[in-house]
Amino acid sequence: MKHPNLDLLALGIQQPWAELILCGVKTVEVRTVPVIPKTIYIYASSKLSQLPDATVAAQVHGIELESLPRGMIVGTVMINASRISTPDDAVAACVSTELLHDTFSWELHTPVRLALPLVPKYIPYGMWFYPFQRKNS
């Protein structure tokens, strides 16, 4: 895939979640809305996650939070399916079961880290955005 791909949507994901996805550890993204299957850019948000589960996951997997790229497109991932979350999703999502209540689990496959992170031309203006062209998501 050629980068930047102007037609690829990006999803803002806080660190260390973005890194855990790229490492293949986090294979489920938990959100409050369903999604249709698609390949997306992973945009590592400029802010670190404040969830205690994020700190625990980073420690368990030896990730140094302050060294992670932020405010950049760091890779791509395929969302293969979206379904109502169950307690069984906790390990794959790297979160406690309490955070799965009334959420959807997006099944992630084939994460690909970009050789060099890309700075988006357009900054996020919502959960989804086109980082390299003006287009409504």
Side-chain angles (χ1 to χ4, degrees):
M1 181 182 303
K2 182 182 176 224
H3 298 291
N5 180 333
L6 300 181
D7 295 319
L8 211 56
L9 273 168
L11 175 67
I13 301 175
Q14 294 178 331
Q15 291 285 27
W17 306 123
E19 180 64 20
L20 290 163
I21 290 168
L22 290 174
C23 291
V25 172
K26 181 174 169 57
T27 58
V28 168
E29 175 69 4
V30 177
R31 297 285 173 145
T32 58
V33 295
V35 68
I36 60 170
K38 62 180 97 186
T39 297
I40 61 166
Y41 274 128
I42 298 170
Y43 171 77
S45 300
S46 56
K47 294 182 182 178
L48 292 172
S49 175
Q50 298 301 304
L51 290 174
D53 290 357
T55 304
V56 170
Q59 289 172 344
V60 166
H61 296 286
I63 295 171
E64 172 58 45
L65 291 174
E66 293 305 320
S67 69
L68 295 173
R70 291 185 271 165
M72 298 183 213
I73 302 291
V74 292
T76 62
V77 71
M78 293 172 56
I79 302 171
N80 279 5
S82 174
R83 56 184 169 66
I84 294 174
S85 298
T86 70
D88 292 339
D89 293 320
V91 172
C94 301
V95 297
S96 57
T97 56
E98 293 80 28
L99 294 178
L100 299 173
H101 184 69
D102 289 333
T103 62
F104 292 86
S105 288
W106 301 356
E107 296 176 8
L108 308 176
H109 292 275
T110 322
V112 177
R113 184 184 305 274
L114 296 180
L116 294 172
L118 299 171
V119 177
K121 184 174 180 181
Y122 301 100
I123 59 171
Y125 48 85
M127 183 169 73
W128 296 105
F129 71 105
Y130 286 96
F132 303 110
Q133 69 171 322
R134 281 272 182 234
K135 190 174 180 181
N136 293 330
S137 59

